[in-house]
Amino acid sequence: MAGPVPAIHVRFADGRKGVDARVKPGHDELETKQPRRSRLARLLTALPAAALSLLFSSAPALADLKLCNRMSYVVEAAIGIDDKSATATRGWFRIDPAACRVVVQGALSADRVLLNARALGVYGASPIPQNGTDTLCVAQDNFVIAAARQCRSGQTPAQFTQITPTQSEDGNLVAYLAEGSEYDEEQARLAGIQRLLVIAGYDAAPIDGVDGPKTQGALSAFLRSRGLSSDVVQSPNFFTTMIDAVQKPSATGLTWCNDTPHKIMAAVATDDGKAVTSRGWYRIDPGKCLHPDVAGQPKQIFSFAEAVDAENRTIRLKDKPLNWGGATQLCTRESKFEIAEQGDCPTRGLAAVGFAPVDMTSGGKTLRFAMP
């Protein structure tokens, strides 16, 4: 379901595993040394993504580098190419579950290759912080950054993990993005479909990559509701179709819709009669809608949202933060969170913000965030 996303692991062909994930940008320290602009950096800026190339000392000169997604999330990957005088980054490469994508092609010498990956905003909170040791610059949309150790306007720092891909049977180099569930290709695709069905409001849980009557029933209901034939499931664009459907208002459950030109970070809270649990952050891009996961039948649902800039700083209008909330004070923190105890937020290192109750008596509610 949507909500906190697990760490993205980089699993190599020989079974070794590294960790890669991404936090809410804008909170990592920057390196202050400005590297020289190398031939590698100039080439990376000039070449289209399909023309990037790399020579690995232990692999054939013409070997391509592929990233294969064995997660239940559609992910976007960014790569860093490091030589002795500069580090350049480029992204984002979208990779659907069970799909592979060539991200480096041909022959261009470099010392190291690094990787950062993020799940699409439709899934809610960003992945937890990775264990990578390199802090490099990225941008929100497609980007090429020639000197990626010093972030400039519109760029944010993100943790990158060095990868050492292994040669596959076809002679190319490959690294796998994997979850703790360690799905194979078929399971990853089915788990990806299950996850989006749950976000869209259909009961396809548990998200386990195992087919059965429950998953098939949820999928059939989804296809009927969108006027789609069963053949579309095998289409290479099926995940795009599902994501487009999820990002539209729904007649059931809670829907957030962003009618502003800004990115919005939102949080939801549920009261089950015993405890109030707050959870966030969910990223809602301009012009998009998102359904936060609300399990069970809570007695009350609360919502808070705020508009942020590229560095995730709250946007202010007339010296007031641009947000949408209410009078119910609940706990949050800057990074992703799930908090079940709501008392005494500040002394626990948490921030108390005002949530608004959501009237769900009609079975569904769409909250539209607009400019004042």
Side-chain angles (χ1 to χ4, degrees):
M1 64 179 65
V5 179
I8 298 178
H9 302 285
V10 182
R11 186 169 298 280
F12 308 119
D14 61 3
R16 291 176 291 114
K17 184 171 71 173
V19 180
D20 183 80
R22 183 169 179 267
V23 296
K24 200 176 172 186
H27 302 286
D28 296 315
E29 294 183 0
L30 301 179
E31 295 191 20
T32 57
K33 184 178 179 180
Q34 176 64 43
R36 297 192 306 275
R37 185 176 170 85
S38 67
R39 175 176 176 272
L40 169 64
R42 293 194 299 271
L43 284 172
L44 185 59
T45 305
L47 293 176
L52 290 177
S53 57
L54 176 68
L55 173 62
F56 294 90
S57 60
S58 59
L62 298 180
D64 294 338
L65 169 61
K66 294 192 301 183
L67 295 179
C68 294
N69 183 5
R70 297 297 182 266
M71 302 184 70
S72 57
Y73 300 87
V74 178
V75 301
E76 293 175 321
I79 58 168
I81 298 180
D82 194 11
D83 73 1
K84 291 181 176 60
S85 58
T87 303
T89 55
R90 185 161 195 154
W92 297 94
F93 300 93
R94 171 173 160 157
I95 315 173
D96 291 344
C100 296
R101 182 162 180 181
V102 173
V103 296
V104 177
Q105 186 179 48
L108 181 65
S109 61
D111 296 326
R112 298 190 306 155
V113 179
L114 304 108
L115 174 70
N116 172 276
R118 66 183 187 183
L120 295 188
V122 69
Y123 297 108
S126 297
I128 62 175
Q130 67 165 358
N131 291 336
T133 58
D134 288 78
T135 301
L136 306 178
C137 303
V138 300
Q140 181 61 35
D141 300 316
N142 293 340
F143 67 90
V144 175
I145 301 175
R149 297 279 181 183
Q150 182 69 41
C151 298
R152 296 173 175 81
S153 176
Q155 302 171 5
T156 55
Q159 294 300 110
F160 278 69
T161 298
Q162 182 177 349
I163 61 173
T164 309
T166 342
Q167 188 172 346
S168 59
E169 293 181 356
D170 62 4
N172 291 314
L173 298 164
V174 63
Y176 293 91
L177 302 178
E179 293 180 62
S181 302
E182 298 189 359
Y183 299 121
D184 61 23
E185 182 175 305
E186 182 179 352
Q187 292 168 336
R189 190 172 195 277
L190 182 56
I193 292 173
Q194 289 172 327
R195 188 171 297 281
L196 288 171
L197 286 171
V198 170
I199 296 173
Y202 296 88
D203 187 5
I207 300 166
D208 55 9
V210 178
D211 201 1
K214 193 175 182 182
T215 296
Q216 288 300 318
L219 181 57
S220 296
F222 168 80
L223 295 175
R224 286 195 304 270
S225 71
R226 267 64 181 186
L228 301 172
S229 70
S230 58
D231 295 341
V232 74
V233 178
Q234 302 305 321
S235 165
N237 297 321
F238 184 55
F239 280 100
T240 299
T241 300
M242 293 196 74
I243 289 170
D244 288 344
V246 168
Q247 292 181 322
K248 294 179 180 178
S250 172
T252 61
L254 173 61
T255 304
W256 287 311
C257 289
N258 182 359
D259 295 335
T260 80
H262 308 292
K263 180 176 66 175
I264 286 177
M265 304 298 286
V268 66
T270 55
D271 182 355
D272 64 3
K274 298 179 181 179
V276 177
T277 300
S278 56
R279 185 167 56 251
W281 295 95
Y282 298 85
R283 187 179 81 241
I284 315 168
D285 293 325
K288 301 296 184 181
C289 297
L290 187 143
H291 309 282
D293 56 308
V294 178
Q297 296 181 328
K299 296 181 179 298
Q300 180 66 67
I301 295 175
F302 302 88
S303 171
F304 173 81
E306 62 179 358
V308 298
D309 62 16
E311 283 74 36
N312 273 2
R313 297 172 300 199
T314 301
I315 290 175
R316 304 182 71 87
L317 295 178
K318 298 180 179 179
D319 205 33
K320 293 183 178 180
L322 180 57
N323 60 31
W324 300 263
T328 303
Q329 296 291 308
L330 300 175
C331 298
T332 68
R333 63 165 56 96
E334 283 195 357
S335 57
K336 79 166 191 174
F337 64 90
E338 182 168 345
I339 303 169
E341 173 56 53
Q342 299 301 325
D344 206 11
C345 304
T347 60
R348 296 158 54 207
L350 304 173
V353 301
F355 282 66
V358 181
D359 182 4
M360 302 292 294
T361 54
S362 63
K365 182 68 174 182
T366 297
L367 299 179
R368 306 200 75 98
F369 305 127
M371 300 297 292

